[in-house]
Amino acid sequence: MKDFKTTFFFLRLPVAVSLAGHGLVRLPKLQTFSEWMVTTMEKSAIPTALLVPFSYVLPIAEAIIGIILLIGFKTKYTLYAGLVLMSILILGSCSIENWSAIEAQLLHSLYLFGLFWMYNKYAAEKTNS
């Protein structure tokens, strides 16, 4: 693919901005976000002892993954991290039967997978040339 770097940058831009935006918006109000998340997950089987730390780590992870994806550093591993994060979020959403949240999380996952597939196909092709 000609000009892979530019094309790939613009393809990863929307999901990188989405992840970074989710995290960066929550960082200034981390305690409020944590309290909201714990309240939202009250009916879940997931213990509060796990939810509280996760609710503080989640915005940081989203921001870091989004920013790293945006700048294109260690792209393959960043995409892995994004897919793992989405899987954890899907598990949490399933535990409270929040099906509409799962739709958004699956969409992010599909997008990240598409980027992963494209990266493997064209970045590997470029190094084999």
Side-chain angles (χ1 to χ4, degrees), residues 2 6-7 18 22 37 40 44-45 54 77 81 85 95 106 122:
K2 189 177 179 182
T6 303
T7 302
S18 176
H22 272 86
M37 185 175 202
T40 301
S44 169
F54 182 75
Y77 298 107
L85 181 62
S95 74
L106 284 172
Y122 292 105

Side-chain angles (χ1 to χ4, degrees), residues 24 81 107:
L24 293 172
L107 186 58

